[in-house]
Amino acid sequence: MECARRNALMVAGWQVYGFMHGVINTDNVSIMGLTIDYGPFAFMDVYDSAHICNHSDDTGRYSFKLQPTMIIFALRALLSALAPVIGAENSTGAAVAAAWHTDIAEEDLSAWTKDGLSIQQEMESYIMTEFLNEYNKLMRKRLGLRTERDNDFKEIIEPFLEILERRELDYSAAFRALSRFTPQLLQSAYSLQFEIFLQSLDATSQCAKPDESTEAPAELWRRWLQKFADRIEEEADEWKEHDVDWLKAREKYMLSANPRFVLRQWVLEEVIKKVEADVVSGRRVLAKVLQMASHPFDSWGAEDQEIGEEISDEEGNSGLWWQNDGLLEPHPQFRVM
C-alpha cells in the first residue's frame, strides 16, 4: 500500500499544479512515487481539463483529467504481477526466497494469485482517498485557505476551475493573480479596484477566445468571489498572529504556493533556439531559466514593474520575458496566436 500511497500523492501534485506527464505507460510509473520518463510533458497553459500534451495520443488516454485513472491502471497492473508473491507470503507468513516458485503446484500458484488480487478494490479505494485528501489540501493552500471544510471542493475549488475553463484563462497565472484578491474589493466603494482586479484575471489568457455567453464575466466572477470572500473571512482568526494586516500575510502565503515562473513549452523551445544559435550566450540564458525553475515562487520579472516593460537578466539577455499588467508572459515576438 505504500507504493499506492506514494503514487496517489504524486498524481495529486500533478493535478494541482497542472503538470501533464504525456506517457503514463506502466513502465513509466515508479514504485517510489517519483515522476519519471516524462518525454512529451507540459505544464498547463490555458486551462483545459481534457488537454492532451502528447500529440501522438490520439484517443486522449493520457489527457490531463485522466492522469489519476492511469496511475490506478498502472498500480493495478503492478498488483497483478505481484499477486502470486503477495498470496504466497500471506499463506506462509514469511517473505518469499529466491526461486520461490520452483516446483510449486499450479493450484497453489493459482490460489495465491487469487488471494493477492483480492486486495485490488481496497487498494483502489485507498488510492482515491489519499489522492483526494492530498489534492484538496494542496488546492486549499493555493487558494490561501488554512482550514478544511467538507464542501470546499464543490463550493470553491470546482467552480473556480470551471470559470478558468469557461473563460479559457491561464491556469498558473490565474492562481497567482488571485493572490491579490481581498474581500473588500466586493464593496461598492472599491468598484474601480474590483474592475482592475478582474482585468488582471482575464489578462492571464494570452491567446484564447473566452466563452461569450449571456452572463457577463464580471457577474460570473462576482458570484464565485463572494463565496471565496466569505470563506476567507471565516478564517480571520487563523491569521490572528498577524494583527497588523492579516490579509497581507495571507497574500504572502498564497504567493508562496503559486509559482511566478512555470517551465512552459515555449520557454524550453526558446532556450533551445538560443543555445543552438550561440552556445556561450545560450548557456547564460539556460542558467537563468534553471535558476528561475529552481525558485519558481520568487517575484521574477519584477511583478510590480510598469506595463509593457521588457525584462532582461543580469547579463542583458532579453526576449524570454515580457511584463504586461503585472503578469510574466512571452515576449510578443514569441506569443502563440
Side-chain angles (χ1 to χ4, degrees):
M1 288 297 182
E2 177 63 14
C3 174
R5 186 189 70 84
R6 286 170 175 258
N7 277 280
L9 300 185
M10 175 194 69
V11 74
W14 290 2
Q15 300 306 108
V16 168
Y17 281 95
F19 175 80
M20 293 168 284
H21 186 285
V23 194
I24 315 175
N25 299 332
T26 55
D27 61 323
N28 292 340
V29 178
S30 164
I31 62 172
M32 297 294 292
L34 304 174
T35 301
I36 62 171
D37 289 351
Y38 43 92
F41 83 97
F43 279 95
M44 185 73 73
D45 288 315
V46 170
Y47 184 68
D48 174 8
S49 60
H51 185 71
I52 304 168
C53 70
N54 183 352
H55 299 302
S56 65
D57 182 9
D58 298 329
T59 63
R61 177 180 176 86
Y62 304 126
S63 64
F64 179 68
K65 65 181 179 182
L66 291 182
Q67 290 188 135
T69 301
M70 296 315 302
I71 290 298
I72 290 177
F73 177 86
L75 290 167
R76 190 184 296 152
L78 178 62
L79 175 62
S80 179
L82 295 178
V85 177
I86 295 172
E89 293 185 347
N90 286 341
S91 176
T92 63
V96 297
W100 66 275
H101 59 285
T102 305
D103 299 328
I104 295 296
E106 188 64 33
E107 56 267 27
D108 287 338
L109 194 61
S110 178
W112 289 342
T113 299
K114 183 177 180 180
D115 180 48
L117 290 174
S118 68
I119 67 170
Q120 179 175 315
Q121 186 173 351
E122 178 188 356
M123 179 193 73
E124 293 181 11
S125 177
Y126 178 69
I127 293 168
M128 286 308 302
T129 298
E130 291 293 305
F131 167 78
L132 290 173
N133 287 341
E134 181 72 0
Y135 178 85
N136 287 324
K137 183 184 77 174
L138 293 177
M139 270 297 192
R140 278 192 291 269
K141 186 172 183 180
R142 293 202 74 176
L143 291 167
L145 301 175
R146 282 186 162 183
T147 60
E148 180 180 348
R149 298 288 184 274
D150 291 339
N151 63 349
D152 278 342
F153 180 77
K154 284 295 183 184
E155 293 293 321
I156 304 295
I157 299 170
E158 188 175 44
F160 177 63
L161 297 179
E162 288 174 353
I163 295 175
L164 295 190
E165 188 155 21
R166 180 172 170 179
R167 298 290 299 155
E168 299 185 18
L169 303 182
D170 186 280
Y171 185 67
S172 296
F175 270 102
R176 186 81 176 184
L178 188 64
S179 303
R180 312 294 185 185
F181 174 75
T182 60
Q184 70 179 18
L185 290 178
L186 295 173
Q187 299 173 12
S188 58
Y190 293 88
S191 57
L192 178 59
Q193 291 92 326
F194 180 67
E195 183 179 343
I196 293 172
F197 171 72
L198 290 185
Q199 290 173 359
S200 75
L201 286 172
D202 273 355
T204 65
S205 182
Q206 300 161 3
C207 60
K209 296 178 180 178
D211 167 51
E212 297 296 339
S213 64
T214 55
E215 184 174 22
E219 292 308 309
L220 182 68
W221 274 118
R222 183 178 289 276
R223 188 169 62 250
W224 180 81
L225 286 169
Q226 185 60 65
K227 290 184 178 180
F228 186 48
D230 293 342
R231 185 71 175 80
I232 291 171
E233 290 179 327
E234 282 180 11
E235 294 193 338
D237 289 343
E238 295 294 321
W239 301 89
K240 59 186 177 182
E241 69 270 26
H242 304 282
D243 294 328
V244 178
D245 190 344
W246 68 273
L247 288 173
K248 201 66 182 175
R250 185 184 168 279
E251 176 186 335
K252 184 177 180 181
Y253 177 78
M254 275 193 75
L255 291 173
S256 71
N258 292 294
R260 169 67 168 165
F261 178 77
V262 177
L263 194 58
R264 303 172 189 263
Q265 290 292 71
W266 69 265
V267 174
L268 292 171
E269 291 168 6
E270 178 63 9
V271 170
I272 291 170
K273 288 179 184 176
K274 286 186 175 290
V275 172
E276 289 178 341
D278 185 332
V279 174
V280 176
S281 63
R283 269 189 188 158
R284 290 197 295 266
V285 172
L286 178 59
K288 183 66 175 181
V289 170
L290 177 59
Q291 182 187 14
M292 295 172 76
S294 300
H295 302 86
F297 303 104
D298 291 357
S299 295
W300 296 109
E303 284 184 276
D304 298 323
Q305 208 156 329
E306 292 298 318
I307 295 174
E309 185 171 347
E310 191 172 356
I311 307 302
S312 300
D313 65 17
E314 63 271 17
E315 301 293 340
N317 298 305
S318 62
L320 279 177
W321 306 281
W322 184 262
Q323 196 68 23
N324 184 11
D325 199 19
L327 297 170
L328 195 64
E329 61 181 48
H331 187 285
Q333 180 182 353
F334 304 116
R335 288 179 189 162
V336 179
M337 304 304 291

